[in-house]
Structure formats: C-alpha cells, structure tokens
Amino acid sequence: MPRLKFPAPPIPPAFQPKPKRPGTGNGKVKPADQAAEAGIHVVDWIDERTSLSGGLRWLMFRKVPRGTNWFYTLGSATLFAFLSQAVTGVFLAMFYDPSATHAYESVRYITNEAFLGQFVRGMHRWGSTVMVILVFLHMARTFFFGAYKYPRELNWVIGVVLLILTMTMAFTGYLLPFDQRSYWATIVGVNINGTGPLIGPYLSDFLRAGPEFGALTLSRFYSIHMLLVPGLIAALIGAHLYLVAKLGTTAPPWIEAEEDPAAELHKAEV
Amino acid sequence: MFPPRSILGRHHPIPPVSSERKEPKSKYTADRGIPGAFEGETVTRRRLMTGTVHGLGALAAGAFALPALGFALGPVFKRQKFQWQSIGNVADFNQTDYTPRVITIVSGIGEAGKSTTYVRLRNPSIDTEPEDQYNRVIAISTRCNHLGCPVRFTEAAGKFICPCHGGVYDFRGVREGGPPVRPLDRFYTRIENGQVQVGPRYSVNSNLKRFSPRDPGEPVDGIGQYLYPSRFSTPQK
Ligand code: HEM
Ligand code: FES
C-alpha cells in the first residue's frame, strides 16, 4: 500500500486513484503496474524522509478567487522568461569569454559557428526584452487590480526590487557582446549613474573598476550579470511566491464581496 | 529578555503569574518556561551561549564578506599613474587647425583602450587661459561631456559635434549648444626634445580653468565642483 495520501476535496476526480474493479488483471501483475508501483515507491521513500508532499500540496492545491483570469498568468509568464534566461545564459557562458580582447570574437563564434549558437543567443537576447516587458505587464496587472493593498504591500515591495534587478540584468548584459553599440551604450549608461550628486563620481568608478572603461569593467559586468543578480532574483522570486501562496491572490476589483455565512449566523445569534 | 509570545508558539506554557509580585524571578530557564530549557541551565548561561554563537557567526560571516567587499571597492580608491606618451614632433602640428592623434587611455585591452585626441599648438590670439608648461600644445579629448560619446571635429564648421544628442563645441572646445555640461576635457601636454607628449586628462570649466578629471555629465562651474567632487583615482605627479 502506498503511504502517500492525496487530499480528497480539491483534487479533480480524474486524478483521484480509482480502486481496481474486481475480476480485472486475474491475479497477474503487469509490467506497467510494476513500473507504477516502483515510481510510487520512490516518491514515498523521499516523502517519508522529507515530508515534502505537504509543502507541495500547500503550494499547488490552493483556492483561487472567483473571477481569476488570464491576466493572473503574467507573473508565471515572467517566471518562465526568467527560467529561460537562466538556462540559455548558462549555455552561452560555456562559449563566452569576458575579456576585452576576446569577448567580441567569442560572441561572433557563438553566432556564426557554434551548433544552434545563433538560436540560443537569439533566445537569450530576445528573451531579455520579453522578460522586461512581462515584468511591466505583471506590475500593471497587480496595480490595476489593486493587488498591492493590505496585506500584500510587502509583495509589491519585493516586486519593485525584482524590477530593479531585472533592469540591472538588462543593463549589464547589454555590454557583453562588446560591439560598438554595447560599448557606447555602457559608457553612456555608466555616465548617467555618475551624474548623481556627491556619490555619482564614486559610483561610476565602482562600476568601471577605475576612472576609465578598462580591462576590469567587462569582467565586473559579467560577474554581476551571471552570478550576483541572478542569485538575488532567484531568492527574491522564492520569497515573492511564498507570499503569493501564503496570502492567496486577490479577486478582480469588479467581483463583489460575498456575505460571509459565518457572520450571518453570528448576527442571527445576537 | 523574555521573547514575545508570538514566537513562543502555543505549545510552551506561559509561566503562571504569581500572586506575590515582589518574588524574585528564578535563575533557571526551566522555571521561566523559556523554550528549549533543560535541567540546571541558568539564564546567564543561556545568554552567554547565545552571545558567543552569534558573535562567532558574525566573525565567520565578516571573514568572507569584508575582504570580498574590499576587493570589489578597491579600484575606487586606487590612484592612477601619471604617464606621458609621445605623439609626434612639434613640427607636425600648427596653430590654426587640429591634427587627430590616437592615444592609449588604458593599455592591454586593444582597441577599446584607445581614444582620439585633437591636437594643435597654442594660439595666443584665441587661447586666453594663462600659459604654463602644460599647455603650449593643446590636446582636446573627444569624450563628449554630455554622456561620453565620441565627438568629431568638423573642419568646415570649425566645431566639435557629437553624434549622440547633438552637442556642439566651438573651436576651443567650449560648449556652444546641446546638452553637454562643460567644455571638452583636455590632456596635459609637454614638449621634450622637440617631441610632443600627452599626459593624463583634466577637466575645465567654462573659463577653461583646470579641474581634476571629472566624468561626463558633471558640471564644474559654481556649485557643480562640490556636487561632483574630485575622485581618489585622480593621477598625481
Ligand atoms: C522577476 C519578476 C517577477 C516574477 C517572476 C513574479 C512572479 C509572480 C507570480 C507567479 C505571481 C502570482 C500571481 C500572478 O501571476 O499574478 C505574482 C504575484 C504578485 N506580484 Fe509578482 N513577479 C515579478 C515581479 C513583480 C513586480 C515588478 C511587481 C510590482 C512591483 C510584483 C508584484 C506582485 C504582487 C503585488 C503580487 C500579488 C498579486 C495578487 O495577490 O493578486 N511582482 N508574482
Ligand atoms: S553624449 Fe554627446 S550630446 Fe549626448
């Protein structure tokens, strides 16, 4: 008997285990049944040692409010854009060389010679724009649906940090192909940072790792782009989704609140 | 020091409020109902252990975080070298027109470390700033002082023009139109045995007074020189 028990109410009937009809299988165990049994056994083994199933159930089988619509998928769409960037980025890093003298050549190699290189680079390049657009659309959804209000303010704040980090990814990644466009765009971008009074000049020295765009600038941008910021984004997405699961999502503003039957009962008692 | 109820959880009994309020509190954690209490553990011992563990944790975290931070911030505090490079004979340049020269701003990174400078000899009839040993030859930087695009000297107009946002500078590099915030930067120059040598960059205000090199977009007139202070990286002789 598998120990893993699924919760009864929220599971659609199609997913609920059906008892075997008597008389079928006439006592013989088919390989398919054995394979299913083995799979369940493995899952059970892990679950017995981690109790993960409770957490997964908590995360996945949530009630959503009436009126939930396609706009609620924009957050998940952003998440998938991020995952796509992460995966394609890891593979681009296998060919990319963040040195001022080799970067352009390595990107040229990826685009023109590596197998599927142009495709993977294209995914990453266009995907970055897609992710930025999706973040803004998702932000607009939560804004217009009033989803930033109590008790979800913290999720809005985390979202703003995610927005800034996403822009940081776009800015630091833009330099990496190291062609004329990325070089001058980065010069201009760093100089815009420098126009902040008092700390601006030191901030641009920090970004460039010196007073001029130099050998360290590209490697600095590369490490921010592929290690520092993705790590922060992944961690914050975790916190963001924890709060989504914990607090539940908001109903669209045009859905009227229902009378709470418990409150009705209470009124009647009084 | 008693933790707030919310973090105690409901399984930990809250100590009964004694009727005699003056009675001194017990020194044992078990008597006070502190979570995780064990036989004979006193409150001071608990504090000592907690403090030690937190202190060691902070020490261990600092041991990697502080060097990493210093490593990342180091370049901000590094002073650049004051270096000279030769760009040709005095006879190669004249007073009325600019001659472009490619100089190395940062070595070891190929083309990305090179930049163009426009060079001419000092012309007392237009160069009103006081003469000294560093401006007998005038070397204008092509880095636009709006946001750093490369400007080009257009001979027909006798002006420097920026391709990015339409910044225009006159023959001396003083801003004439567009978004730049100060004249074009210059490089120190000197003449050694008939050879013209170019040194580090310096910035100028609209009266062509020298300032330590500032980044583009940072005005040095009036309050600007204080809002955008000189950096630690400024080269020194
Ligand atoms: C890396 C970027 C982001 C990812 C991957 C992400 C992901 C998600 C997901 C999957 C949800 C679930 C509900 C839904 O999809 O609408 C959500 C909810 C939410 N997000 Fe984001 N998000 C991101 C950025 C942002 C930004 C920039 C903001 C706003 C500044 C924001 C604010 C919120 C809020 C307030 C909710 C709660 C919505 C509700 O309760 O109805 N998020 N996020
Ligand atoms: S960078 Fe020259 S005008 Fe903007």
Side-chain angles (χ1 to χ4, degrees), chain A residues 7-268:
Chain A
I11 293 208
F15 290 101
Q16 286 175 20
K18 288 183 201 69
K20 277 225 173 75
R21 284 171 172 276
T24 54
N26 45 16
K28 265 205 224 155
V29 191
K30 287 193 206 123
D33 294 335
Q34 268 179 323
E37 191 68 26
I40 290 171
H41 190 79
V42 171
V43 173
D44 270 342
W45 190 91
I46 294 172
D47 193 44
E48 193 177 354
R49 283 152 185 83
T50 58
S51 296
L52 269 181
S53 65
L56 285 178
R57 216 178 303 150
W58 175 79
L59 191 67
M60 296 192 300
F61 298 103
R62 279 176 289 128
K63 292 193 171 158
V64 295
R66 203 151 52 83
T68 297
N69 55 38
W70 280 99
F71 291 111
Y72 285 72
T73 59
L74 286 167
S76 315
T78 317
L79 175 66
F80 279 98
F82 173 71
L83 292 180
S84 160
Q85 291 305 94
V87 171
T88 51
V90 165
F91 289 101
L92 286 175
M94 292 178 178
F95 290 95
Y96 180 73
D97 181 353
S99 83
T101 41
H102 300 302
Y104 180 78
E105 178 53 31
S106 70
V107 174
R108 195 201 59 74
Y109 179 83
I110 292 173
T111 317
N112 297 343
E113 274 152 72
F115 177 63
L116 283 184
Q118 196 177 19
F119 181 71
V120 173
R121 183 175 167 218
M123 294 270 291
H124 199 76
R125 196 179 174 85
W126 292 102
S128 71
T129 309
V130 170
M131 180 168 170
V132 172
I133 292 172
L134 283 173
V135 168
F136 276 109
L137 290 179
H138 169 61
M139 188 174 169
R141 193 295 272 173
T142 51
F143 178 75
F144 287 118
F145 282 34
Y148 54 86
K149 292 177 193 167
Y150 176 84
R152 299 185 181 80
E153 301 97 321
L154 187 59
N155 225 12
W156 177 269
V157 171
I158 294 175
V160 170
V161 180
L162 280 170
L163 174 70
I164 294 169
L165 290 175
T166 307
M167 305 300 263
T168 310
M169 289 300 279
F171 177 60
T172 50
Y174 204 79
L175 172 65
L176 304 182
F178 215 59
D179 50 22
Q180 289 289 336
R181 191 209 306 240
S182 43
Y183 178 81
W184 291 108
T186 303
I187 297 257
V188 166
V190 169
N191 285 332
I192 291 175
N193 276 290
T195 58
L198 301 178
I199 55 160
Y202 306 103
L203 186 63
S204 15
D205 269 16
F206 170 73
L207 284 173
R208 280 183 306 237
E212 300 283 351
F213 190 105
L216 297 178
T217 314
L218 183 58
S219 46
R220 183 163 282 233
F221 270 55
Y222 183 53
S223 124
I224 294 175
H225 182 79
M226 73 166 307
L227 298 169
L228 187 63
V229 178
L232 288 174
I233 290 185
L236 284 176
I237 288 180
H240 200 69
L241 292 187
Y242 168 75
L243 284 181
V244 168
K246 172 99 185 154
L247 303 172
T249 47
T250 34
W254 56 83
I255 298 285
E256 302 260 322
E258 267 171 34
E259 283 287 340
D260 182 358
E264 285 290 288
L265 211 70
H266 188 69
K267 248 190 258 166

Side-chain angles (χ1 to χ4, degrees), chain A residues 188 191, chain B residues 142-151 161-169 177-180 216:
Chain A
V188 166
N191 285 332
Chain B
T142 49
R143 193 181 71 176
C144 179
N145 272 331
H146 174 223
L147 290 172
C149 285
V151 299
I161 295 178
C162 180
C164 287
H165 320 98
V168 180
Y169 305 83

Side-chain angles (χ1 to χ4, degrees), chain B residues 7 18 27 45 49 55 59 67 110 129 139 143 148 156-157 159 164 170 173 176 187 192 197 208 220 224:
Chain B
I7 65 165
S18 85
K27 65 175 187 165
R45 181 186 155 87
M49 295 314 281
L59 201 68
E129 74 276 11
R143 193 181 71 176
K159 296 183 199 310
C164 287
D170 71 8
E176 223 175 55
F187 294 98
E192 291 273 292
Q197 292 185 335
L208 298 183
V220 287

